[in-house]
């Protein structure tokens, strides 16, 4: 009998230890320090009615079915650093590979000739020949991938969460208006939204230039995006000071359209005004030259961003001008979104453009840019970029690689995740700084 009681006590003790260990393990599955999962301006919107994005069945879908969410995956999310909703990053979904696209897309980038024929004659012509020879100075750890590969998209979302970025700004143009270097991108949007949602990330849109883009076509673009994707829970909406939740649209090369044309769309009295309608939003124009400040104001934009990662390349991208730009924005009720980057090099596609190269200096260039951005106390900081490999601004993981005719740059002596870690570090710092500014 005594032996039975001893066995019973031992069994109860082991069961108690199991329950205690399980509870302690669950308690550790929470966001890292710094900020909660949802913060100011980052509101989860209900996905009231999923849009029917029917596509013809293809070999691509058979080769790689989209990942499914498991309990283990959901639990793993708690181990990632929390996403900072005020840190946005430009993301490109325009890459292709033979398995998913029938050919390499963009990795075989053309060598862009200089506009002066005399200068152009001094440089090589042609295009790159993937998979070994690609149009980039760094080589992706994933190889020359396809943006249609669900496993690639999943890995990108993991990397973004590791970096504590909150909003992926997806480069977009309407279907049917692609150029010879671009594949359609709109049909990728549902998969990117779904993947972002699995990692508690949000998606905004970066509307690229296309033939015939003007205030009228952009009006149609906004309606299309909001009607098709606006009810998705990963669709980014910014909370204004008056409590409105509005989608945010970055308009690349906005200066190509005259301010008067933009004003017809973006001012309340405009002839086809989008203001105070179901398609209203936060519209962010690009500042390159100093005069674009006034142009953006007259156009009716809500803010401006600088995009380029080459300090000194333009008025807008020069760190020394950010205080002046921020002062102008504060005086005119505009949002200033400085863009920071880890470096810049595009000589694999523009071999004559070496003077705009900016050395990464093992992360120091990136941290200098982030510090400069924080100095002007912006509401949002944008990062150029997650994966613009052609211009060498990516923070995505890169791998050392050497081929017969070229040795690719890399992040050595650091690990491939160097820039993800630096981004995480500054995401936390940005959040803490904003808390101090708002006190």
């Amino acid at each position: 009998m005594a032996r039975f009681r001893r066995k019973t006590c031992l069994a109860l003790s082991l069961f108690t230890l199991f329950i205690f260990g399980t509870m302690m393990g669950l308690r550790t599955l929470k966001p890292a320090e710094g900020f909660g999962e949802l913060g100011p301006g980052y509101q989860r919107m209900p996905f009231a009615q999923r849009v029917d994005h029917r596509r013809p069945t293809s070999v691509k879908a058979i080769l790689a079915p989209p990942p499914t969410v498991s309990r283990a995956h959901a639990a793993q999310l708690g181990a990632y650093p929390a996403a900072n909703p005020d840190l946005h990053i430009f993301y490109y979904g325009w890459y292709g590979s033979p398995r998913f696209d029938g050919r390499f897309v963009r990795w075989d980038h053309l060598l862009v000739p200089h506009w002066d024929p005399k200068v152009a004659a001094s440089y090589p012509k042609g295009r790159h020949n993937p998979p070994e020879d690609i149009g980039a100075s760094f080589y992706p750890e994933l190889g020359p991938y396809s943006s249609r590969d669900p496993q690639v998209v999943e890995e990108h979302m993991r990397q973004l969460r590791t970096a504590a970025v909150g909003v992926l700004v997806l480069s977009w143009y309407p279907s049917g208006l692609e150029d010879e270097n671009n594949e359609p991108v709109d049909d990728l949007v549902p998969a990117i939204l779904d993947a972002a949602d699995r990692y508690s990330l949000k998606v905004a849109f970066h509307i690229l230039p296309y033939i015939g883009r003007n205030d009228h076509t952009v009006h149609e673009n906004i309606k299309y995006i909001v009607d098709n994707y606006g009810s998705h829970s990963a669709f980014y909406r910014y909370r204004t000071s008056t409590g409105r939740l509005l989608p945010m649209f970055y308009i690349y090369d906005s200066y190509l359209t005259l301010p008067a044309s933009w004003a017809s769309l973006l001012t309340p009295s405009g002839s086809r005004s989008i203001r105070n309608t179901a398609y209203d939003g936060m519209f962010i124009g690009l500042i390159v030259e100093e005069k674009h400040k006034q142009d953006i104001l007259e156009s009716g934009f809500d803010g401006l961003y600088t995009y380029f990662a080459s300090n000194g390349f333009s008025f807008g991208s020069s760190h020394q001008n950010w205080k002046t730009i921020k002062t102008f924005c504060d005086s005119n009720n505009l949002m200033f979104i400085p863009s920071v980057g880890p470096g810049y090099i595009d000589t694999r596609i523009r071999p004559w453009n070496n003077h705009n190269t900016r050395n990464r200096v093992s992360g120091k260039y990136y941290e200098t840019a982030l510090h400069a951005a924080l100095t002007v106390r912006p509401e949002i900081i944008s990062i150029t970029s997650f994966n613009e490999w052609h211009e060498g601004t990516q923070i995505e993981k890169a791998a050392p690689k050497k081929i017969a005719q070229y040795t690719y740059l890399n992040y050595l002596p650091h690990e491939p995740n160097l820039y993800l870690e630096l981004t995480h570090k500054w995401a936390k710092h940005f959040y803490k700084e904003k808390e101090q500014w708002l006190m």
Side-chain angles (χ1 to χ4, degrees), residues 136-418:
S137 296
F138 294 83
Y139 200 87
E141 187 178 68
L142 296 174
Y145 54 75
S146 170
S147 297
R148 297 177 183 277
D149 184 342
Q151 302 304 324
V152 166
V153 175
E154 195 79 4
E155 172 60 21
H156 284 173
M157 300 305 151
R158 281 194 288 267
Q159 291 189 29
L160 288 166
R161 270 308 298 269
T162 299
V165 171
V167 180
L168 173 164
V169 184
L170 177 65
S171 289
W172 182 91
Y173 39 80
S175 290
L177 293 175
E178 302 80 29
D179 62 28
E180 68 276 6
N181 292 313
N182 294 324
E183 291 286 289
V185 296
D186 181 62
D187 62 330
L188 298 175
V189 175
I192 290 173
L193 283 165
D194 286 345
D197 202 34
R198 288 194 290 274
Y199 288 83
S200 298
L201 297 167
K202 299 295 182 185
V203 178
F205 285 76
H206 194 194
I207 299 179
L208 300 184
Y210 53 82
I211 295 173
R213 190 185 75 175
N214 56 35
D215 56 300
H216 176 74
T217 65
V218 170
H219 192 180
E220 294 304 309
N221 299 158
I222 300 304
K223 289 176 65 178
Y224 174 85
I225 290 170
V226 172
D227 287 346
N228 284 274
Y229 310 122
S231 58
H232 197 292
S233 52
F235 187 78
Y236 175 69
R237 292 180 187 268
Y238 171 83
R239 185 179 291 278
T240 69
S241 59
T242 60
R244 297 181 69 194
L245 289 167
L246 298 176
M248 181 174 285
F249 299 96
Y250 292 80
I251 312 294
Y252 188 72
D253 280 358
S254 52
Y255 57 83
L256 295 176
T257 300
L258 293 174
S261 294
W262 284 127
S264 70
L265 176 68
L266 301 178
T267 60
S269 59
S271 58
R272 59 169 60 91
S273 178
I274 209 167
R275 298 306 188 183
N276 301 312
T277 73
Y279 302 105
D280 202 353
M282 296 291 293
F283 298 91
I284 312 299
L286 176 64
I287 178 172
V288 178
E289 300 177 22
E290 184 172 10
K291 68 176 184 177
H292 293 157
K293 292 187 302 182
Q294 190 64 35
D295 290 345
I296 285 170
L297 178 63
E298 293 175 7
S299 296
F301 282 97
D302 299 283
L304 51 85
Y305 73 117
T306 61
Y307 186 76
F308 298 105
S310 182
N311 182 23
F313 169 71
S314 69
F315 174 84
S317 71
S318 300
H319 303 168
Q320 66 183 23
N321 296 327
W322 286 356
K323 184 177 179 180
T324 299
I325 298 171
K326 180 63 160 56
T327 299
F328 176 86
C329 288
D330 289 347
S331 300
N332 292 282
N333 197 29
L334 293 172
M335 181 185 293
F336 176 44
I337 304 180
S339 303
V340 301
Y344 187 94
I345 179 167
D346 66 357
T347 51
R348 288 279 282 172
I349 62 168
R350 301 182 186 97
W352 39 266
N353 197 33
N354 189 60
H355 62 283
N356 279 318
T357 295
R358 300 294 181 269
N359 194 298
R360 293 187 173 222
V361 203
S362 294
K364 291 184 175 62
Y365 180 88
Y366 191 33
E367 295 202 85
T368 298
L370 285 157
H371 180 267
L374 259 63
T375 298
V376 299
R377 298 190 172 191
E379 191 162 349
I380 292 170
I381 293 175
S382 58
I383 299 171
T384 306
S385 63
F386 178 75
N387 63 339
E388 219 299 8
W389 289 91
H390 306 308
E391 295 180 348
T393 63
Q394 80 290 334
I395 67 166
E396 184 183 354
K397 293 181 181 181
K401 186 174 180 64
K402 183 177 183 179
I403 58 178
Q405 66 272 36
Y406 188 73
T407 300
Y408 289 92
L409 301 176
N410 56 65
Y411 304 160
L412 294 175
H414 303 281
E415 296 297 319
N417 64 347
L418 169 64

Side-chain angles (χ1 to χ4, degrees), residues 120-132:
S122 304
Y123 292 95
K125 299 175 179 60
R127 59 190 322 127
H128 291 279
N129 185 28
E132 297 295 297

